[in-house]
Amino acid sequence: GSGLFGHSAIYLGTPAELQALGMFNDAELAKHEEALMRDMLIVESAQRHNTGLSTLAYVGDTDRIAVLRPKGISKAARKQAIRSGFERIGRKFDHHFRLDTPDKLYCTELIDQMLPQLKLPRHEVYGREIIYPDDLVKMAARGSRLDFVAAVAADRENWRKVSVGDLIADIAMAGD
């Protein structure tokens, strides 16, 4: 099965944070300045719109969100990751979930390409390697290359804060 989390994306930071990193001097990023100023601060590869920028409101339209942060990433590595994300905008979504076709991307593959130093775990499925979003949460639970920041879960009525332990239990229940 694909697990509890069906999607993953990268929050790039606020326009002010991107400005402080000197990212608006980057030609690739400058092309998207207007979108960034409209709060399209998340880069993702999704079936509905391929690889592109989205708002938190759009990505957050779900019943569970975990916020994770790469550990010990230098300023230079952050800039490289952000640049890498912008270079991939417009690439088609990979409906076959193949890591060996880098011209087409799925969500965790995009993260793997943007932050190769995370060394995301691979699983062999139907003769090909795949990266599951649940594995990012598991890495954060172990404190392995990702820090757990916060998580929320929703039912029909409202949102509640959940712990990383709750998420790991939910992942186990999802029959990973």
Side-chain angles (χ1 to χ4, degrees), residues 114-126:
M114 287 176 69
L115 290 161
Q117 60 272 55
L118 291 181
K119 298 182 175 70
L120 298 178
R122 271 94 165 126
H123 298 272
E124 178 123 347
V125 180
Y126 302 119

Side-chain angles (χ1 to χ4, degrees), residues 72-129:
I73 300 281
S74 69
K75 185 176 173 179
R78 281 191 9 235
K79 289 174 76 165
Q80 179 52 45
I82 292 166
R83 184 173 297 113
S84 169
F86 279 97
E87 286 167 356
R88 286 163 173 76
I89 287 175
R91 291 205 188 160
K92 298 269 184 244
F93 182 78
D94 186 354
H95 293 275
H96 299 288
F97 299 94
R98 296 192 66 98
L99 293 175
D100 59 358
T101 55
D103 55 317
K104 293 185 180 139
L105 300 170
Y106 62 94
C107 63
T108 48
E109 182 182 16
L110 173 66
I111 294 171
D112 190 59
Q113 288 186 14
M114 287 176 69
L115 290 161
Q117 60 272 55
L118 291 181
K119 298 182 175 70
L120 298 178
R122 271 94 165 126
H123 298 272
E124 178 123 347
V125 180
Y126 302 119
R128 68 178 185 273
E129 286 188 320

